[in-house]
Amino acid sequence: EPQEWLARRGVILAASALHTPRILGRSGIRLPHLGRHLQMHLGMGVLAEFAQPVQEIFGPPQGLEAFPPDLRGAKLATQLLPEELMFSRVPLFGEELREALKKTAFHSGWTASLHSASEGHVNLRSGRVTFTPSAEDLSNAASAVTSLGQLHFALGARTFYPQSADRPLALRPGSSPSP
């Protein structure tokens, strides 16, 4: 049965950055910036294969995060994922993927995330989101992925999967994570 509520001072609406503007717009609120100035975090996932098993973190969900000062606000973090999600990031198919899945314990998943300098918008009628990372955003993302590659190779990775359109599908020690 529907209920009616009356607010004395105001209403706080929290339906996410994507849905709040649409709800406000459908409610008749017309503000010049409604649906504009959408800010996002760019996230890049990588995977690395090591010669020895990677020691898992035991206990409650936890991980490791680093905020290197030279990466302009990027966060590098371990990512604890089920293997079917972790391996969705690698360009392996068929027998090669089957063999890699047998060695799940030898793989480590990480992410690099950073706040984007770009702004997008939400179309109040269709809900379509428009967002285009700037050249600065893409450069910062590339620096973060490069740092993850360097970190993994310093830790002994045999193969690094950068998951970036402007890089090789897989890198080996001695190859450059840079495009």
Side-chain angles (χ1 to χ4, degrees), residues 139-168:
S139 174
N140 291 344
S143 293
V145 170
T146 297
S147 289
L148 280 173
Q150 292 166 343
L151 171 68
H152 281 85
F153 288 135
L155 294 172
R158 295 188 329 181
T159 307
F160 177 72
Y161 300 98
Q163 295 303 286
S164 178
D166 66 342
R167 296 163 193 272

PDB file of all heavy atoms in Angstrom, residues 139-168:
ATOM      1  N   SER A 139      47.260   9.810 -20.111  1.00  0.00           N
ATOM      2  CA  SER A 139      48.683   9.812 -19.772  1.00  0.00           C
ATOM      3  C   SER A 139      48.894   9.337 -18.332  1.00  0.00           C
ATOM      4  O   SER A 139      49.788   8.537 -18.048  1.00  0.00           O
ATOM      5  CB  SER A 139      49.256  11.215 -19.962  1.00  0.00           C
ATOM      6  OG  SER A 139      50.587  11.272 -19.506  1.00  0.00           O
ATOM      7  N   ASN A 140      48.058   9.825 -17.411  1.00  0.00           N
ATOM      8  CA  ASN A 140      48.161   9.393 -16.018  1.00  0.00           C
ATOM      9  C   ASN A 140      47.864   7.900 -15.871  1.00  0.00           C
ATOM     10  O   ASN A 140      48.521   7.192 -15.100  1.00  0.00           O
ATOM     11  CB  ASN A 140      47.218  10.204 -15.131  1.00  0.00           C
ATOM     12  CG  ASN A 140      47.655  11.644 -14.984  1.00  0.00           C
ATOM     13  OD1 ASN A 140      48.790  11.996 -15.278  1.00  0.00           O
ATOM     14  ND2 ASN A 140      46.747  12.488 -14.538  1.00  0.00           N
ATOM     15  N   ALA A 141      46.885   7.415 -16.613  1.00  0.00           N
ATOM     16  CA  ALA A 141      46.555   5.989 -16.575  1.00  0.00           C
ATOM     17  C   ALA A 141      47.721   5.161 -17.112  1.00  0.00           C
ATOM     18  O   ALA A 141      48.083   4.125 -16.544  1.00  0.00           O
ATOM     19  CB  ALA A 141      45.289   5.718 -17.380  1.00  0.00           C
ATOM     20  N   ALA A 142      48.328   5.616 -18.199  1.00  0.00           N
ATOM     21  CA  ALA A 142      49.473   4.898 -18.771  1.00  0.00           C
ATOM     22  C   ALA A 142      50.636   4.865 -17.775  1.00  0.00           C
ATOM     23  O   ALA A 142      51.303   3.838 -17.621  1.00  0.00           O
ATOM     24  CB  ALA A 142      49.906   5.555 -20.077  1.00  0.00           C
ATOM     25  N   SER A 143      50.869   5.966 -17.063  1.00  0.00           N
ATOM     26  CA  SER A 143      51.934   6.003 -16.057  1.00  0.00           C
ATOM     27  C   SER A 143      51.656   5.009 -14.934  1.00  0.00           C
ATOM     28  O   SER A 143      52.559   4.328 -14.442  1.00  0.00           O
ATOM     29  CB  SER A 143      52.067   7.411 -15.458  1.00  0.00           C
ATOM     30  OG  SER A 143      52.523   8.310 -16.422  1.00  0.00           O
ATOM     31  N   ALA A 144      50.394   4.921 -14.526  1.00  0.00           N
ATOM     32  CA  ALA A 144      50.032   3.985 -13.458  1.00  0.00           C
ATOM     33  C   ALA A 144      50.237   2.537 -13.898  1.00  0.00           C
ATOM     34  O   ALA A 144      50.778   1.717 -13.144  1.00  0.00           O
ATOM     35  CB  ALA A 144      48.592   4.224 -13.018  1.00  0.00           C
ATOM     36  N   VAL A 145      49.836   2.204 -15.110  1.00  0.00           N
ATOM     37  CA  VAL A 145      50.023   0.838 -15.611  1.00  0.00           C
ATOM     38  C   VAL A 145      51.511   0.534 -15.763  1.00  0.00           C
ATOM     39  O   VAL A 145      51.973  -0.562 -15.434  1.00  0.00           O
ATOM     40  CB  VAL A 145      49.256   0.622 -16.940  1.00  0.00           C
ATOM     41  CG1 VAL A 145      49.634  -0.695 -17.591  1.00  0.00           C
ATOM     42  CG2 VAL A 145      47.756   0.676 -16.680  1.00  0.00           C
ATOM     43  N   THR A 146      52.285   1.498 -16.242  1.00  0.00           N
ATOM     44  CA  THR A 146      53.739   1.323 -16.350  1.00  0.00           C
ATOM     45  C   THR A 146      54.341   1.042 -14.976  1.00  0.00           C
ATOM     46  O   THR A 146      55.162   0.135 -14.819  1.00  0.00           O
ATOM     47  CB  THR A 146      54.392   2.569 -16.983  1.00  0.00           C
ATOM     48  OG1 THR A 146      53.899   2.706 -18.313  1.00  0.00           O
ATOM     49  CG2 THR A 146      55.906   2.449 -17.017  1.00  0.00           C
ATOM     50  N   SER A 147      53.913   1.784 -13.965  1.00  0.00           N
ATOM     51  CA  SER A 147      54.419   1.562 -12.608  1.00  0.00           C
ATOM     52  C   SER A 147      54.059   0.171 -12.098  1.00  0.00           C
ATOM     53  O   SER A 147      54.866  -0.488 -11.438  1.00  0.00           O
ATOM     54  CB  SER A 147      53.871   2.610 -11.648  1.00  0.00           C
ATOM     55  OG  SER A 147      54.453   3.852 -11.922  1.00  0.00           O
ATOM     56  N   LEU A 148      52.849  -0.284 -12.405  1.00  0.00           N
ATOM     57  CA  LEU A 148      52.471  -1.639 -11.993  1.00  0.00           C
ATOM     58  C   LEU A 148      53.345  -2.678 -12.689  1.00  0.00           C
ATOM     59  O   LEU A 148      53.747  -3.669 -12.072  1.00  0.00           O
ATOM     60  CB  LEU A 148      50.993  -1.899 -12.293  1.00  0.00           C
ATOM     61  CG  LEU A 148      50.012  -1.317 -11.294  1.00  0.00           C
ATOM     62  CD1 LEU A 148      48.574  -1.487 -11.789  1.00  0.00           C
ATOM     63  CD2 LEU A 148      50.171  -1.975  -9.937  1.00  0.00           C
ATOM     64  N   GLY A 149      53.639  -2.473 -13.958  1.00  0.00           N
ATOM     65  CA  GLY A 149      54.527  -3.398 -14.665  1.00  0.00           C
ATOM     66  C   GLY A 149      55.910  -3.426 -14.038  1.00  0.00           C
ATOM     67  O   GLY A 149      56.484  -4.489 -13.800  1.00  0.00           O
ATOM     68  N   GLN A 150      56.452  -2.255 -13.750  1.00  0.00           N
ATOM     69  CA  GLN A 150      57.770  -2.181 -13.121  1.00  0.00           C
ATOM     70  C   GLN A 150      57.763  -2.839 -11.744  1.00  0.00           C
ATOM     71  O   GLN A 150      58.696  -3.572 -11.386  1.00  0.00           O
ATOM     72  CB  GLN A 150      58.217  -0.717 -13.018  1.00  0.00           C
ATOM     73  CG  GLN A 150      58.491  -0.096 -14.366  1.00  0.00           C
ATOM     74  CD  GLN A 150      58.602   1.424 -14.312  1.00  0.00           C
ATOM     75  OE1 GLN A 150      58.180   2.069 -13.359  1.00  0.00           O
ATOM     76  NE2 GLN A 150      59.152   2.003 -15.380  1.00  0.00           N
ATOM     77  N   LEU A 151      56.717  -2.612 -10.975  1.00  0.00           N
ATOM     78  CA  LEU A 151      56.588  -3.225  -9.651  1.00  0.00           C
ATOM     79  C   LEU A 151      56.556  -4.748  -9.756  1.00  0.00           C
ATOM     80  O   LEU A 151      57.270  -5.449  -9.041  1.00  0.00           O
ATOM     81  CB  LEU A 151      55.314  -2.711  -8.961  1.00  0.00           C
ATOM     82  CG  LEU A 151      54.936  -3.419  -7.661  1.00  0.00           C
ATOM     83  CD1 LEU A 151      55.954  -3.123  -6.574  1.00  0.00           C
ATOM     84  CD2 LEU A 151      53.536  -2.989  -7.217  1.00  0.00           C
ATOM     85  N   HIS A 152      55.754  -5.261 -10.659  1.00  0.00           N
ATOM     86  CA  HIS A 152      55.638  -6.716 -10.802  1.00  0.00           C
ATOM     87  C   HIS A 152      56.948  -7.347 -11.263  1.00  0.00           C
ATOM     88  O   HIS A 152      57.332  -8.402 -10.762  1.00  0.00           O
ATOM     89  CB  HIS A 152      54.483  -7.067 -11.735  1.00  0.00           C
ATOM     90  CG  HIS A 152      53.157  -6.981 -11.061  1.00  0.00           C
ATOM     91  ND1 HIS A 152      52.463  -5.803 -10.952  1.00  0.00           N
ATOM     92  CD2 HIS A 152      52.405  -7.908 -10.431  1.00  0.00           C
ATOM     93  CE1 HIS A 152      51.341  -6.020 -10.294  1.00  0.00           C
ATOM     94  NE2 HIS A 152      51.288  -7.291  -9.972  1.00  0.00           N
ATOM     95  N   PHE A 153      57.624  -6.720 -12.216  1.00  0.00           N
ATOM     96  CA  PHE A 153      58.906  -7.275 -12.656  1.00  0.00           C
ATOM     97  C   PHE A 153      59.947  -7.206 -11.547  1.00  0.00           C
ATOM     98  O   PHE A 153      60.748  -8.120 -11.377  1.00  0.00           O
ATOM     99  CB  PHE A 153      59.400  -6.590 -13.935  1.00  0.00           C
ATOM    100  CG  PHE A 153      58.609  -6.984 -15.156  1.00  0.00           C
ATOM    101  CD1 PHE A 153      58.194  -6.027 -16.064  1.00  0.00           C
ATOM    102  CD2 PHE A 153      58.278  -8.314 -15.400  1.00  0.00           C
ATOM    103  CE1 PHE A 153      57.460  -6.381 -17.191  1.00  0.00           C
ATOM    104  CE2 PHE A 153      57.535  -8.676 -16.527  1.00  0.00           C
ATOM    105  CZ  PHE A 153      57.135  -7.703 -17.420  1.00  0.00           C
ATOM    106  N   ALA A 154      59.921  -6.146 -10.743  1.00  0.00           N
ATOM    107  CA  ALA A 154      60.852  -6.045  -9.609  1.00  0.00           C
ATOM    108  C   ALA A 154      60.583  -7.149  -8.580  1.00  0.00           C
ATOM    109  O   ALA A 154      61.497  -7.602  -7.894  1.00  0.00           O
ATOM    110  CB  ALA A 154      60.743  -4.670  -8.951  1.00  0.00           C
ATOM    111  N   LEU A 155      59.329  -7.590  -8.505  1.00  0.00           N
ATOM    112  CA  LEU A 155      58.964  -8.662  -7.573  1.00  0.00           C
ATOM    113  C   LEU A 155      59.161 -10.061  -8.167  1.00  0.00           C
ATOM    114  O   LEU A 155      58.900 -11.048  -7.499  1.00  0.00           O
ATOM    115  CB  LEU A 155      57.508  -8.490  -7.132  1.00  0.00           C
ATOM    116  CG  LEU A 155      57.217  -7.254  -6.286  1.00  0.00           C
ATOM    117  CD1 LEU A 155      55.717  -7.089  -6.080  1.00  0.00           C
ATOM    118  CD2 LEU A 155      57.944  -7.341  -4.956  1.00  0.00           C
ATOM    119  N   GLY A 156      59.602 -10.109  -9.430  1.00  0.00           N
ATOM    120  CA  GLY A 156      59.899 -11.403 -10.046  1.00  0.00           C
ATOM    121  C   GLY A 156      58.857 -11.939 -11.004  1.00  0.00           C
ATOM    122  O   GLY A 156      58.871 -13.130 -11.332  1.00  0.00           O
ATOM    123  N   ALA A 157      57.963 -11.115 -11.490  1.00  0.00           N
ATOM    124  CA  ALA A 157      56.948 -11.592 -12.436  1.00  0.00           C
ATOM    125  C   ALA A 157      57.600 -12.122 -13.707  1.00  0.00           C
ATOM    126  O   ALA A 157      58.592 -11.574 -14.186  1.00  0.00           O
ATOM    127  CB  ALA A 157      55.982 -10.464 -12.790  1.00  0.00           C
ATOM    128  N   ARG A 158      57.043 -13.211 -14.225  1.00  0.00           N
ATOM    129  CA  ARG A 158      57.518 -13.773 -15.507  1.00  0.00           C
ATOM    130  C   ARG A 158      56.761 -13.175 -16.677  1.00  0.00           C
ATOM    131  O   ARG A 158      57.295 -13.020 -17.765  1.00  0.00           O
ATOM    132  CB  ARG A 158      57.333 -15.291 -15.509  1.00  0.00           C
ATOM    133  CG  ARG A 158      58.180 -15.974 -14.480  1.00  0.00           C
ATOM    134  CD  ARG A 158      58.182 -17.462 -14.560  1.00  0.00           C
ATOM    135  NE  ARG A 158      56.950 -18.061 -15.050  1.00  0.00           N
ATOM    136  CZ  ARG A 158      56.774 -19.366 -15.165  1.00  0.00           C
ATOM    137  NH1 ARG A 158      57.741 -20.190 -14.835  1.00  0.00           N
ATOM    138  NH2 ARG A 158      55.644 -19.850 -15.611  1.00  0.00           N
ATOM    139  N   THR A 159      55.478 -12.848 -16.447  1.00  0.00           N
ATOM    140  CA  THR A 159      54.640 -12.274 -17.496  1.00  0.00           C
ATOM    141  C   THR A 159      53.734 -11.226 -16.867  1.00  0.00           C
ATOM    142  O   THR A 159      53.238 -11.417 -15.755  1.00  0.00           O
ATOM    143  CB  THR A 159      53.760 -13.358 -18.160  1.00  0.00           C
ATOM    144  OG1 THR A 159      54.590 -14.438 -18.587  1.00  0.00           O
ATOM    145  CG2 THR A 159      53.006 -12.809 -19.355  1.00  0.00           C
ATOM    146  N   PHE A 160      53.537 -10.143 -17.568  1.00  0.00           N
ATOM    147  CA  PHE A 160      52.674  -9.060 -17.100  1.00  0.00           C
ATOM    148  C   PHE A 160      51.653  -8.768 -18.193  1.00  0.00           C
ATOM    149  O   PHE A 160      52.016  -8.581 -19.355  1.00  0.00           O
ATOM    150  CB  PHE A 160      53.523  -7.814 -16.801  1.00  0.00           C
ATOM    151  CG  PHE A 160      52.733  -6.620 -16.370  1.00  0.00           C
ATOM    152  CD1 PHE A 160      52.137  -6.574 -15.123  1.00  0.00           C
ATOM    153  CD2 PHE A 160      52.586  -5.526 -17.215  1.00  0.00           C
ATOM    154  CE1 PHE A 160      51.411  -5.467 -14.715  1.00  0.00           C
ATOM    155  CE2 PHE A 160      51.868  -4.409 -16.821  1.00  0.00           C
ATOM    156  CZ  PHE A 160      51.280  -4.382 -15.568  1.00  0.00           C
ATOM    157  N   TYR A 161      50.382  -8.761 -17.837  1.00  0.00           N
ATOM    158  CA  TYR A 161      49.295  -8.485 -18.770  1.00  0.00           C
ATOM    159  C   TYR A 161      48.734  -7.093 -18.466  1.00  0.00           C
ATOM    160  O   TYR A 161      47.953  -6.929 -17.534  1.00  0.00           O
ATOM    161  CB  TYR A 161      48.188  -9.535 -18.625  1.00  0.00           C
ATOM    162  CG  TYR A 161      48.666 -10.939 -18.900  1.00  0.00           C
ATOM    163  CD1 TYR A 161      49.014 -11.792 -17.851  1.00  0.00           C
ATOM    164  CD2 TYR A 161      48.775 -11.408 -20.193  1.00  0.00           C
ATOM    165  CE1 TYR A 161      49.452 -13.081 -18.086  1.00  0.00           C
ATOM    166  CE2 TYR A 161      49.206 -12.702 -20.446  1.00  0.00           C
ATOM    167  CZ  TYR A 161      49.549 -13.528 -19.390  1.00  0.00           C
ATOM    168  OH  TYR A 161      49.985 -14.802 -19.634  1.00  0.00           O
ATOM    169  N   PRO A 162      49.147  -6.065 -19.226  1.00  0.00           N
ATOM    170  CA  PRO A 162      48.768  -4.691 -18.899  1.00  0.00           C
ATOM    171  C   PRO A 162      47.323  -4.319 -19.198  1.00  0.00           C
ATOM    172  O   PRO A 162      46.821  -3.336 -18.681  1.00  0.00           O
ATOM    173  CB  PRO A 162      49.718  -3.843 -19.739  1.00  0.00           C
ATOM    174  CG  PRO A 162      50.133  -4.716 -20.853  1.00  0.00           C
ATOM    175  CD  PRO A 162      50.092  -6.130 -20.333  1.00  0.00           C
ATOM    176  N   GLN A 163      46.636  -5.056 -20.051  1.00  0.00           N
ATOM    177  CA  GLN A 163      45.246  -4.765 -20.389  1.00  0.00           C
ATOM    178  C   GLN A 163      45.024  -3.325 -20.819  1.00  0.00           C
ATOM    179  O   GLN A 163      44.191  -2.615 -20.283  1.00  0.00           O
ATOM    180  CB  GLN A 163      44.337  -5.111 -19.200  1.00  0.00           C
ATOM    181  CG  GLN A 163      44.318  -6.580 -18.881  1.00  0.00           C
ATOM    182  CD  GLN A 163      43.895  -7.414 -20.077  1.00  0.00           C
ATOM    183  OE1 GLN A 163      42.733  -7.425 -20.424  1.00  0.00           O
ATOM    184  NE2 GLN A 163      44.814  -8.098 -20.723  1.00  0.00           N
ATOM    185  N   SER A 164      45.800  -2.909 -21.763  1.00  0.00           N
ATOM    186  CA  SER A 164      45.693  -1.553 -22.287  1.00  0.00           C
ATOM    187  C   SER A 164      45.770  -1.627 -23.804  1.00  0.00           C
ATOM    188  O   SER A 164      46.613  -2.336 -24.347  1.00  0.00           O
ATOM    189  CB  SER A 164      46.838  -0.703 -21.724  1.00  0.00           C
ATOM    190  OG  SER A 164      46.789   0.591 -22.237  1.00  0.00           O
ATOM    191  N   ALA A 165      44.897  -0.888 -24.461  1.00  0.00           N
ATOM    192  CA  ALA A 165      44.814  -0.961 -25.916  1.00  0.00           C
ATOM    193  C   ALA A 165      46.084  -0.506 -26.617  1.00  0.00           C
ATOM    194  O   ALA A 165      46.356  -0.921 -27.740  1.00  0.00           O
ATOM    195  CB  ALA A 165      43.634  -0.130 -26.405  1.00  0.00           C
ATOM    196  N   ASP A 166      46.889   0.342 -25.967  1.00  0.00           N
ATOM    197  CA  ASP A 166      48.067   0.868 -26.643  1.00  0.00           C
ATOM    198  C   ASP A 166      49.350   0.125 -26.257  1.00  0.00           C
ATOM    199  O   ASP A 166      50.439   0.626 -26.476  1.00  0.00           O
ATOM    200  CB  ASP A 166      48.210   2.365 -26.352  1.00  0.00           C
ATOM    201  CG  ASP A 166      48.493   2.656 -24.886  1.00  0.00           C
ATOM    202  OD1 ASP A 166      48.242   1.766 -24.051  1.00  0.00           O
ATOM    203  OD2 ASP A 166      48.956   3.767 -24.584  1.00  0.00           O
ATOM    204  N   ARG A 167      49.220  -1.061 -25.698  1.00  0.00           N
ATOM    205  CA  ARG A 167      50.387  -1.838 -25.258  1.00  0.00           C
ATOM    206  C   ARG A 167      50.298  -3.262 -25.789  1.00  0.00           C
ATOM    207  O   ARG A 167      49.233  -3.722 -26.164  1.00  0.00           O
ATOM    208  CB  ARG A 167      50.443  -1.873 -23.731  1.00  0.00           C
ATOM    209  CG  ARG A 167      50.662  -0.504 -23.150  1.00  0.00           C
ATOM    210  CD  ARG A 167      50.302  -0.473 -21.685  1.00  0.00           C
ATOM    211  NE  ARG A 167      50.221   0.909 -21.253  1.00  0.00           N
ATOM    212  CZ  ARG A 167      51.255   1.590 -20.814  1.00  0.00           C
ATOM    213  NH1 ARG A 167      52.423   1.040 -20.707  1.00  0.00           N
ATOM    214  NH2 ARG A 167      51.123   2.846 -20.465  1.00  0.00           N
ATOM    215  N   PRO A 168      51.414  -3.979 -25.745  1.00  0.00           N
ATOM    216  CA  PRO A 168      51.354  -5.391 -26.126  1.00  0.00           C
ATOM    217  C   PRO A 168      50.416  -6.149 -25.188  1.00  0.00           C
ATOM    218  O   PRO A 168      50.172  -5.725 -24.057  1.00  0.00           O
ATOM    219  CB  PRO A 168      52.802  -5.871 -25.935  1.00  0.00           C
ATOM    220  CG  PRO A 168      53.635  -4.635 -25.910  1.00  0.00           C
ATOM    221  CD  PRO A 168      52.755  -3.539 -25.393  1.00  0.00           C
TER     222      PRO A 168
END
